[in-house]
Amino acid sequence: MTYGSTALRRAVLMANQMIPKAGLAQLTWGNVSGVDREAGLYVIKPSGVAYDDLTEDHLVPVDLQTGKVLDGDLRPSVDSESHRAFYLAWPSIGGVTHTHSTNAVAFAQADRDVPVLGTTHADTFDGPVPVTRGLTPEECATDYELNTGRVVIERIGDDAAAAGMPAALVANHGPFTWGATPLKSVEHGIILEAVAEMAIKTLALNPNAATPQHLQERHFKRKHGPGAYYGNPRR
């Protein structure tokens, strides 16, 4: 029996392969998963397998409720429990991405939100991309990856909040992004890395740079929500 549909496995494979293409990770420092809520499982990249070697058959199916591997002899990504926490907390998401992209990690290591300094940021993220609190010694000692997911959920909030802010930085660690599909979650990772780089360069030129709130709101709402008019839905 194969767990996870062919379409889901193909989507998760393609999304994982986008990570090195987009320059979001060195070596194997990143992973993408996708969920099948009707089947009660998600499919995720195996731990430590190179992107160039990755195939659909390598992807690891995991029970959404228990976190147990359902098939195969490969271990899931070590971040699997973080992914599982997001799927359980936010029923509208369909994919999760974790990377160690350079500029987003710089903000995470500096324990600093990525500020909204222009419309490029505001087109996707409804406010600064937040950084979590640090994990306690107890949270690191037991259920570390699950607790990593929990501090993100604590920082972001409910399902509606996760839709408006599809990214967070784990303090001293790096970014997680999510979306309606595995591919969309990677896209948010690409955008996050781009706006983090822009923010670093902007702050180097002008440490007091800022964007008016009304401009931020205009750009976010023209792409999101009931009044959105960006793009062509049928294409």
Side-chain angles (χ1 to χ4, degrees):
M1 178 178 181
T2 299
Y3 291 88
S5 68
T6 299
L8 178 63
R9 286 177 171 269
R10 183 177 299 119
V12 173
L13 175 63
M14 290 176 63
N16 273 286
Q17 290 171 335
M18 280 189 67
I19 289 177
K21 290 177 182 177
L24 295 182
Q26 304 294 322
L27 303 175
T28 60
W29 300 350
N31 46 76
V32 183
S33 68
V35 68
D36 182 338
R37 295 188 181 276
E38 289 188 5
L41 62 84
Y42 60 97
V43 174
I44 191 168
K45 181 183 179 292
S47 180
V49 175
Y51 299 104
D52 287 344
D53 298 333
L54 197 61
T55 69
E56 291 180 22
D57 292 336
H58 288 133
L59 299 174
V60 182
V62 181
D63 187 284
L64 185 57
Q65 294 301 319
T66 67
K68 299 288 182 64
V69 172
L70 295 171
D71 189 33
D73 57 1
L74 293 176
R75 297 174 182 171
S77 162
V78 292
D79 301 299
S80 180
E81 282 291 274
S82 302
H83 290 238
R84 188 168 75 89
F86 300 148
Y87 289 131
L88 292 175
W90 300 324
S92 68
I93 70 170
V96 174
T97 294
H98 173 53
T99 74
H100 288 259
S101 59
T102 302
N103 294 284
V105 167
F107 275 95
Q109 293 181 165
D111 196 20
R112 182 170 179 177
D113 298 351
V114 181
V116 188
L117 299 179
T119 60
T120 310
H121 182 126
D123 280 340
T124 300
F125 304 115
D126 190 15
V129 176
V131 64
T132 70
R133 64 172 175 83
L135 274 72
T136 66
E138 294 76 17
E139 288 170 329
C140 286
T142 304
D143 296 328
Y144 169 64
E145 289 80 14
L146 181 59
N147 288 325
T148 297
R150 286 171 173 164
V151 297
V152 171
I153 295 162
E154 173 188 295
R155 187 69 176 84
I156 293 295
D158 62 13
D159 192 49
M165 179 52 64
L169 306 173
V170 177
N172 309 117
H173 185 164
F176 282 89
T177 56
W178 46 88
T181 65
L183 193 60
K184 198 68 177 177
S185 73
V186 179
E187 180 180 310
H188 290 150
I190 293 169
I191 296 169
L192 173 58
E193 176 60 13
V195 299
E197 181 178 9
M198 292 174 192
I200 289 170
K201 292 180 177 180
T202 301
L203 292 170
L205 291 168
N206 180 5
N208 299 314
T211 299
Q213 184 64 32
H214 64 271
L215 184 60
Q216 295 179 36
E217 292 178 0
R218 177 63 175 178
H219 270 259
F220 185 79
K221 289 180 179 178
R222 74 176 186 168
K223 294 188 74 171
H224 308 276
Y229 57 91
Y230 175 87
N232 292 279
R234 295 183 181 180
R235 296 185 65 85

